[in-house]
Amino acid sequence: MADAEPENTARTSDPTAQANDAPQEQRNGARRKWLIRLGLLVLVVALLWGAWYLLFGRNHISTDNAYVNAEMAQVTPLVGAQAIEVLVSDTQAVKKGDILVKLDPTNMEIAVAQAQADLAEARRRFRQTAATSESLAAQVEARGADIVQARAQLATAQADLEKARIDLQRREALVDDGAVSGDEVTAARKTFASAQAALRLAQAGVKTAEATRGAATGQLEANQALVRGSTEDTDPAVMAAKARLDSAKLDLERTVIRAPIDGVITKRQVQVGQRVAQGSPIMTIVPLSQVYVDANFKERQLRDVRIGMPAEVKSDLYGGDVVYHGKVVGFSGGTGSSMSLIPAQNATGNWIKVVQRLPLRIELDPKELAAHPLRVGLSMEVEIDLAAD
């Protein structure tokens, strides 16, 4: 110990050792200052982040899993025929009502001509049926006259029979006195028999005339049932023929395929000379003025989201300088995975929870869309303000 103390005293009094310890202390002091500054910086950043979160961050949710979509119109021919003219191509803008494709109208023109002939035939049959009713009515009147005539003949036959009966009785009463010969009695009996036969014939004639009139009346009623309460234009057969003509004309009009909405042509699949089938898609029209954004948010983010909340949307196409303003208009009926073609099914024993995403729809401002058009499928960034009413 006695030896160590002089050594320490010598080291302390050594100017070279003191010169070596001074820079070390300076470095330690500078390091403490930087650590203090770094701690203060971290504290300031934490305070700023906390203030941002309290004032802004907790009231906003965002996602970059969002894409432009639209209610696209599938153009499908309503009649099958050969394409004779195609007037549009992909990327071409069209207006509602513009002609897209013309189909061969030959078969439809023939169908229209046939339907017109059927309508004319139906009208002719109605007029013929109406005329037949008039003819049958005249026949019923004629059969009535036949009945009157037959009854008159019956009355005559009855009178002749009564006269013959009286003559026969008178002659038979005079036979015993010899005042009347046997030949006269025989002739009287023959006349009486003839009168009876004539009476039966007259009775049969009345029945025949009545039956004939009944048949004519039945034919008249049956014919009248075809035209009763109808005119030429309201006759069922004429109306059916009109419907077939309207259908044929409609098919003829459909040989000219027009744009159902305003938009841009995509996926054109028809060429001149190609026979298109009824109902098969030949092109798609995308309405660029009516696109919307489908944003896929995590399920936990949607806890406070309500329909009508405002949203700001940015597109990778234009960058952050262009901001679209929209609002939430609806939620999907299921998550993206559940609506996929083959929904995911986790195996038994898989304890890893997969966070699901639920699509919601953002409607954009039409004026902003017109100024900066979007295309279906573009990537978007969406931020929703939860604090807005």
Side-chain angles (χ1 to χ4, degrees), residues 100-116:
L100 307 177
V101 181
K102 291 183 179 180
L103 304 179
D104 185 4
T106 304
N107 292 339
M108 289 66 183
E109 290 172 348
I110 294 174
V112 169
Q114 181 64 50
Q116 289 174 337

Side-chain angles (χ1 to χ4, degrees), residues 24 26 37 48-49 62 110 112 156 169 196 202 227 233 252 255 266 278 291 300 339 365 370:
Q24 182 65 30
Q26 291 178 356
R37 292 174 182 175
L48 291 176
W49 183 88
S62 62
I110 294 174
V112 169
T156 301
Q169 290 177 351
Q196 286 180 324
V227 296
D233 291 327
L252 180 60
T255 58
T266 59
Q278 181 179 358
V291 298
R300 292 179 179 176
M339 294 299 176
D365 186 351

Side-chain angles (χ1 to χ4, degrees), residues 73 93-98 259-264 285-290:
V94 295
K95 296 291 185 181
K96 181 179 180 180
D98 288 350
I261 59 173
D262 297 348
V264 174
I285 300 179
V286 180
L288 298 183
S289 61
Q290 300 176 11

Side-chain angles (χ1 to χ4, degrees), residues 172-241:
E172 287 180 341
L174 297 175
V175 169
D176 296 338
D177 297 338
V180 177
S181 63
D183 291 339
E184 290 180 355
V185 174
T186 302
R189 289 175 178 171
K190 183 177 179 181
T191 300
F192 179 73
S194 298
Q196 286 180 324
L199 177 61
R200 288 192 293 270
L201 181 61
Q203 290 173 341
V206 171
K207 292 181 179 181
T208 301
E210 288 177 347
T212 303
R213 186 181 67 174
T217 302
Q219 291 179 353
L220 176 61
E221 287 296 327
N223 201 79
Q224 284 285 74
L226 299 176
V227 296
R228 185 180 293 116
S230 299
T231 63
E232 184 174 332
D233 291 327
T234 60
D235 178 64
V238 173
M239 293 177 67

Side-chain angles (χ1 to χ4, degrees), residues 59-60 304 306 308-310 384-389:
N59 294 323
H60 290 76
D304 298 322
R306 300 291 182 269
M309 286 184 171
I384 299 176
D385 185 359
L386 302 179
D389 294 333

Side-chain angles (χ1 to χ4, degrees), residues 69-92:
N69 209 338
E71 299 294 340
M72 294 176 285
Q74 292 281 351
V75 179
T76 57
L78 299 179
V79 294
Q82 184 183 29
I84 59 175
E85 193 172 356
V86 180
L87 302 176
V88 294
S89 58
D90 281 342
T91 72
Q92 180 176 340

Side-chain angles (χ1 to χ4, degrees), residues 125-136 216-228:
R125 283 197 301 267
F126 180 84
R127 290 193 292 267
Q128 182 180 6
T129 301
T132 301
S133 294
E134 296 178 0
S135 175
L136 291 175
T217 302
Q219 291 179 353
L220 176 61
E221 287 296 327
N223 201 79
Q224 284 285 74
L226 299 176
V227 296
R228 185 180 293 116

